[in-house]
Amino acid sequence: MYEILKNEVLGSNIYLFEVKAARIAAKAEAGQFVIIRLHETAERIPLTIADYSREKGTITIIFQAVGASTRELAEYEAGQKILDLVGPLGVPSEIENYGTVVCIGGGVGIAPIYPIARALKEAGNRVISIIGARSRDLLFWKEKMAAVSDELLIATDDGSEGRKGFVTDVLKDLLEKEKIERVWAIGPMVMMKAVANTTRPFAVKTIVSLNPIMVDGTGMCGACRVAVGKETKFACVDGPEFDGHEVDFDLAMKRLAIFKDEEQRILAKGQCGGGCGCH
Amino acid sequence: MSLRKSRVEMPAQDPKERVKNFKEVALGYTSEMAREEASRCLNCKNPLCKKGCPVEVDIPEFISALKEDDPARAAKILKNKNNLPAICGRVCPQENQCEMHCILGKKGEPVAIGRLERFVADWEREQVNLKPEKVETINKKVAIIGSGPAGLTAAADLAKLGYQVTIFEALHVPGGVLMYGIPEFRLPKEVVQQEINYIKKLGVDIQVNFVVGKTATIADLLEEGYDAVFIGTGAGLPNFMNLPGENLNGIYSANEFLTRTNLMKAYLFPQYATPIKIGKKVAVIGAGNVAMDAARTALRLGAEESYIVYRRSAEEMPARHEEVEHAREEGVQFLFLTSPVAYKGDEKGHVRAMTCQKFALGDPDESGRRKPVAIPGSEFDMEVDTVVVAIGQGPNPLVPRTTPGLILTKKGNIQADEETGATSLPNVFAGGDIVTGAATVILAMGAGKKAARAIHRYLQGIEK
Ligand SMILES: Cc1cc2nc3c(=O)[nH]c(=O)nc-3n(C[C@H](O)[C@H](O)[C@H](O)COP(=O)(O)OP(=O)(O)OC[C@H]3O[C@@H](n4cnc5c(N)ncnc54)[C@H](O)[C@@H]3O)c2cc1C
Ligand SMILES: Cc1cc2nc3c(=O)[nH]c(=O)nc-3n(C[C@H](O)[C@H](O)[C@H](O)COP(=O)(O)OP(=O)(O)OC[C@H]3O[C@@H](n4cnc5c(N)ncnc54)[C@H](O)[C@@H]3O)c2cc1C
Ligand code: SF4
Ligand code: SF4
Ligand code: FES
């Protein structure tokens, strides 16, 4: 059992949990994730390690309550325990001193981009970060991001904060202005696809972190398979980071939608409390 | 009682009923049936049957106890050698192991050793629940990686010798394929957990949610004070065929299909939160035990038609005869000499059809089976909305990748001595599917047993 030490609301429907997990904290690196299972009948869901403290033996996860499992997680309070937590999974980000790099976090993707930006900064890079969301109430960790960036740029779809528009608009200007060595982008699949399309003409290597459906997270089931270049990869063990110019995003998006009907059904069950006998 | 040539039949759920539920198919012997079957055993002076059992069960001895109507003694004898008898009695391929050697098999049917084993183990679990004897502890620690049959057996045998044993398991429950792969209707998960509870009572500590190679490496464990390590991580990497369209929705590896159903209980969705999508017409590619399990599971999940699609013919099917029979009885259909070459999907990316090619049997290949040869121009389309790819598994690379100095075979399996499990590293042993490639429960257990013995010798400073 893994105790939740802190439950904080970061924005509309966005939550931060700090969880006691000393062994995972001891090994965690930027770019890795955990899989949690809340209780006996829950599903296994992957969440990025947004931060960790080796001293305190804790990890931080940030998530958006989008469906049944994440909404249920959101109900948990500090002091309560999660049944299963396993990690750190996936291959850590490739951190080196590249020169000038851009880190892009869209929506809840701001959380996983943070440890990467921090590690890149610590490795000596000049880090320009771009964070974006639909509107300002979905933005979080501005100060934390600013602290690990040489420059922090903000974009919102509705212009309620920073520049009105997409993160890709900001990125395009940067690419035209100066030499960028590498780009990291984490956020919704459509955003990562758009970022890859923006950097392609500039031939700037772009790393994206894919979030396919997973079950075990150890390379055993193949649910997480994604097409990268000509090959099929298992995101949980070969990724989750891949070269964005090689990823088949359209396939990845279709695969994410496979359980749409079931997601609706289980949400409906949650809303009527289940005990009604209507299903 | 006169000597009967044929064995006592074991009752089973009616096929028409059982295909609608996940309850166990084979129902087990009653005491009377068990005694009658036991009375067929000749209690041979030189029991050939024993040669066929990788965990060295004292077969005539436990059967004699049954004959004398002393199931408690039978259970003691059985458990002395076999730590997982209720599991073996259900899924051991007995016809190729102990029963193949039984003398009675020469003229009639061999003694139904597996069924008797199952009876004794079930009786013991329900009636007495044997407590392990206390042993003197040895102040040495052994780490076991993976809680499949290989790891569980090595752990139990080492604990019985007095070692302090910890199992590290990646998933949230122990059991390996016994929990996530083999379906409930062949091996109830409750039975598996009760056998594992017995192993815990021997003093074995099981840490779940621990991926060796990620949560800690083998080097970390040795540094933390473990004196020896046994690797029993199994063959858990699903193979695909790399065909066009293979990543369409509705195409699962057998591992995903079975894990969702068995481990995550998707058949109880939405009470259990893990979903599975099952169509009307399911094609399972392959014809091993895993394929039969998937095809039968599909029917239970509500598929209208379930097909085994296999590129060789009925004779070459690697699945156990009994499994094929059970599948047939339940309505699984077989398409032989056929294999997919591509999949076609709809605009949402869901599989709708499978282009297949027909094959003919040519000359025998290395395995001695006649080789399938594609017939040019024989392609045809088959409508399907769910596909399960069950063409085997490879070794999971997580441990090898993070263990410098561990020598692998060409296929990526861990190189280990057949008799001892010794690897290229002095204090690291390995056994089960990670060494042999996908095999059987009993072979994995046999490897665990031999490795436990070798680890004991190593830790006592005898030799490796
Ligand atoms: C490696 C990895 C890291 C992740 N890190 C985070 C994280 O740090 N924070 C976070 O909030 N989420 C993260 N996710 C996504 C998270 O796992 C899913 O949002 C979660 O499983 C949804 O469960 P649910 O039952 O609440 O929603 P569902 O009912 O399953 O889905 C609701 C909606 O979310 C979409 N969805 C489902 N699964 C995913 C997915 N994997 N990614 C994106 N959308 C999805 C569905 O299409 C649907 O529209 C990560 C996923 C992976 C694979
Ligand atoms: C669907 C199916 C049906 C089968 N039916 C039969 C049958 O009827 N009869 C029969 O004899 N055999 C059958 N088999 C084969 C049999 O189950 C296997 O040969 C046997 O389970 C192998 O045992 P093992 O201990 O080597 O590995 P496994 O049972 O595969 O167990 C390995 C364990 O190690 C864990 N692990 C892996 N990597 C790590 C890591 N890095 N850190 C920690 N833990 C890790 C895994 O999660 C798993 O729990 C079947 C197999 C399948 C898939
Ligand atoms: S464990 Fe398997 S091989 Fe050994 S006696 Fe039992 S059924 Fe036969
Ligand atoms: S060989 Fe057959 S008859 Fe002889 S002891 Fe073994 S089971 Fe009994
Ligand atoms: S989640 Fe199962 S293989 Fe990646």
Side-chain angles (χ1 to χ4, degrees):
Chain A
M1 299 284 272
Y2 302 83
E3 190 181 352
I4 297 165
L5 300 178
K6 190 160 101 184
N7 168 349
E8 195 181 310
V9 182
L10 289 183
S12 102
N13 248 345
I14 300 176
Y15 299 82
L16 174 152
F17 279 19
E18 204 175 274
V19 186
K20 185 101 191 137
R23 283 216 87 119
I24 300 176
K27 283 272 170 178
E29 303 277 356
Q32 292 190 293
F33 65 97
V34 292
I35 285 189
I36 69 168
R37 192 176 73 126
L38 276 178
H39 52 76
E40 195 46 46
T41 64
E43 60 179 340
R44 294 170 63 98
I45 59 167
L47 294 169
T48 307
I49 302 170
D51 204 354
Y52 52 83
S53 161
R54 301 213 206 280
E55 297 74 45
K56 284 194 286 174
T58 60
I59 61 162
T60 301
I61 50 179
I62 292 183
F63 61 94
Q64 197 162 13
V66 286
S69 296
T70 42
R71 285 190 202 180
E72 192 176 11
L73 177 60
E75 305 272 309
Y76 276 57
E77 285 164 19
Q80 274 184 286
K81 286 179 176 157
I82 294 170
L83 183 58
D84 297 300
L85 177 65
V86 59
L89 302 172
V91 181
S93 309
E94 236 181 280
I95 305 294
E96 280 172 37
N97 189 351
Y98 298 99
T100 300
V101 294
V102 175
C103 292
I104 307 173
V108 76
I110 299 169
I113 205 71
Y114 168 73
I116 298 173
R118 180 175 62 186
L120 286 166
K121 179 78 190 144
E122 279 166 6
N125 292 278
R126 188 165 94 82
V127 178
I128 304 173
S129 296
I130 310 173
I131 60 174
R134 275 201 312 279
S135 75
R136 67 176 305 166
D137 59 337
L138 292 166
L139 280 177
F140 57 92
W141 275 13
K142 275 176 286 185
E143 295 74 28
K144 268 183 95 140
M145 282 303 292
V148 298
S149 313
D150 292 274
E151 214 178 309
L152 176 69
L153 304 165
I154 296 176
T156 50
D157 296 6
D158 63 2
S160 53
E161 181 150 354
R163 172 164 167 183
K164 179 170 160 55
F166 297 124
V167 288
T168 42
D169 301 330
V170 182
L171 174 65
K172 190 146 183 286
D173 289 354
L174 276 177
L175 289 165
E176 279 163 357
K177 213 168 63 193
E178 63 180 303
K179 179 95 180 80
I180 307 290
E181 298 300 335
R182 230 176 228 244
V183 173
W184 267 263
I186 310 185
M189 216 63 102
V190 278
M191 182 208 96
M192 293 190 283
K193 181 183 175 184
V195 168
N197 285 341
T198 308
T199 55
R200 193 173 279 115
F202 295 88
V204 176
K205 183 141 180 167
T206 301
I207 309 294
V208 296
S209 177
L210 298 183
N211 52 1
I213 290 172
M214 294 187 175
V215 184
D216 60 303
T218 65
M220 183 268 279
C221 76
C224 62
R225 56 197 198 275
V226 290
V228 181
K230 292 256 166 310
E231 281 181 90
T232 292
K233 299 277 190 187
F234 288 5
C236 67
V237 284
D238 300 323
E241 293 186 3
F242 294 101
D243 183 338
H245 294 157
E246 300 274 323
V247 169
D248 183 343
F249 284 103
D250 295 336
L251 175 75
M253 282 188 258
K254 282 178 183 160
R255 285 187 64 81
L256 258 188
I258 177 172
F259 294 117
K260 272 245 136 56
D261 302 343
E262 288 76 12
E263 285 156 11
Q264 287 312 313
R265 261 178 76 197
I266 197 158
L267 262 185
K269 168 188 169 236
Q271 273 152 11
C272 73
C276 59
C278 68
H279 48 247
Chain B
M1 234 178 288
S2 68
L3 204 62
R4 38 185 294 176
K5 275 212 157 83
S6 58
R7 46 175 60 187
V8 176
E9 280 309 314
M10 179 162 57
Q13 262 200 83
D14 186 298
K16 282 199 218 61
E17 274 311 307
R18 72 186 190 226
V19 23
K20 293 183 226 145
N21 66 51
F22 274 84
K23 288 195 217 115
E24 194 166 14
V25 167
L27 300 171
Y29 279 161
T30 60
S31 320
E32 292 69 37
M33 291 171 179
R35 234 175 305 135
E36 189 179 348
E37 181 61 26
S39 72
R40 293 180 64 227
C41 172
L42 305 174
N43 198 3
C44 302
K45 281 239 158 46
N46 174 22
L48 297 173
C49 52
K50 256 184 172 173
K51 285 202 193 99
C53 176
V55 296
E56 305 153 16
V57 167
D58 295 309
I59 298 169
E61 287 84 350
F62 99 78
I63 296 181
S64 292
L66 257 188
K67 248 190 262 183
E68 289 155 23
D69 205 13
D70 190 353
R73 189 159 57 88
K76 241 190 172 140
I77 298 168
L78 186 56
K79 280 207 149 173
N80 185 33
K81 292 287 170 61
N82 189 340
N83 299 302
L84 306 168
I87 293 166
C88 291
R90 287 174 166 81
V91 300
C92 215
Q94 295 106 7
E95 65 279 13
N96 300 323
Q97 301 286 347
C98 52
E99 293 177 8
M100 187 171 85
H101 297 274
C102 170
I103 192 85
L104 291 189
K106 296 229 156 58
K107 291 227 177 85
E109 286 187 322
V111 175
I113 303 168
R115 293 174 184 179
L116 291 175
E117 183 169 338
R118 168 179 169 164
F119 169 79
V120 172
D122 287 353
W123 181 91
E124 183 268 325
R125 234 183 30 255
E126 284 152 22
Q127 307 292 326
V128 286
N129 219 337
L130 281 182
K131 293 223 167 40
E133 286 161 33
K134 275 257 170 289
V135 292
E136 216 167 303
T137 57
I138 301 176
N139 204 12
K140 290 222 155 100
K141 285 165 62 178
V142 183
I144 308 280
I145 310 174
S147 62
L152 289 171
T153 304
D157 277 10
L158 285 163
K160 283 177 176 170
L161 288 166
Y163 290 97
Q164 294 163 47
V165 184
T166 307
I167 299 183
F168 298 96
E169 167 56 49
L171 292 171
H172 55 261
V173 288
V177 170
L178 307 174
M179 284 306 286
Y180 77 71
I182 303 179
E184 177 78 16
F185 57 83
R186 279 213 293 132
L187 180 62
K189 302 309 144 210
E190 183 62 32
V191 171
V192 179
Q193 287 312 312
Q194 286 185 7
E195 301 240 285
I196 291 174
N197 277 341
Y198 174 76
I199 290 175
K200 284 187 189 157
K201 277 193 221 147
L202 292 169
V204 173
D205 174 35
I206 304 184
Q207 303 229 356
V208 293
N209 296 319
F210 197 114
V211 185
V212 175
K214 292 284 172 194
T215 315
T217 60
I218 288 185
D220 295 333
L221 294 175
L222 291 169
E223 202 166 297
E224 282 173 32
Y226 287 94
D227 300 286
V229 176
F230 173 77
I231 309 174
T233 47
L237 190 81
N239 292 337
F240 285 94
M241 297 165 80
N242 293 319
L243 301 178
E246 208 172 22
N247 292 329
L248 286 165
N249 285 340
I251 304 182
Y252 302 92
S253 75
N255 276 359
E256 181 186 355
F257 190 72
L258 293 169
T259 299
R260 283 183 182 276
T261 317
N262 298 321
L263 183 72
M264 305 309 297
K265 299 203 168 27
Y267 62 94
L268 297 174
F269 183 87
Q271 191 189 333
Y272 279 73
T274 304
I276 192 159
K277 229 188 177 62
I278 187 86
K280 291 197 168 72
K281 194 165 168 184
V282 180
V284 178
I285 317 302
N289 287 324
V290 182
M292 297 306 143
D293 282 344
R296 298 171 70 192
T297 296
L299 289 174
R300 284 165 174 78
L301 288 170
E304 287 167 13
E305 293 170 72
S306 177
Y307 289 85
I308 289 283
V309 179
Y310 183 46
R311 65 192 181 117
R312 302 188 198 237
S313 74
E315 280 98 84
E316 288 85 18
M317 283 198 286
R320 287 179 68 190
H321 180 71
E322 186 186 328
E323 300 309 324
V324 174
E325 270 322 295
H326 278 154
R328 256 188 234 284
E329 284 167 17
E330 290 168 10
V332 171
Q333 301 174 65
F334 293 77
L335 266 180
F336 294 115
L337 296 166
T338 305
S339 189
V341 290
Y343 298 98
K344 296 176 179 168
D346 59 20
E347 68 289 346
K348 285 188 175 153
H350 198 97
V351 65
R352 286 292 165 238
M354 168 165 101
T355 305
C356 293
Q357 183 156 48
K358 296 295 285 180
F359 286 76
L361 288 182
D363 296 331
D365 62 10
E366 319 84 64
S367 71
R369 296 180 302 175
R370 292 178 64 194
K371 201 183 181 139
V373 188
I375 304 175
S378 63
E379 289 84 358
F380 67 98
D381 275 8
M382 174 178 174
E383 265 180 49
V384 290
D385 48 18
T386 305
V387 175
V388 181
V389 182
I391 55 159
Q393 297 107 267
N396 187 305
L398 281 183
V399 169
R401 265 188 209 163
T402 54
T403 313
L406 191 66
I407 295 180
L408 307 181
T409 66
K410 257 195 234 114
K411 285 185 173 161
N413 293 98
I414 296 175
Q415 211 165 70
D417 185 282
E418 215 177 295
E419 285 310 309
T420 63
T423 69
S424 52
L425 297 170
N427 38 10
V428 178
F429 298 74
D433 281 4
I434 185 65
V435 171
T436 56
T440 63
V441 171
I442 192 64
L443 289 177
M445 289 174 62
K449 199 168 204 69
K450 286 179 185 165
R453 218 171 268 155
I455 290 172
H456 178 49
R457 281 203 304 272
Y458 169 74
L459 292 177
Q460 296 309 308
I462 300 172
E463 83 220 28
K464 194 172 176 183

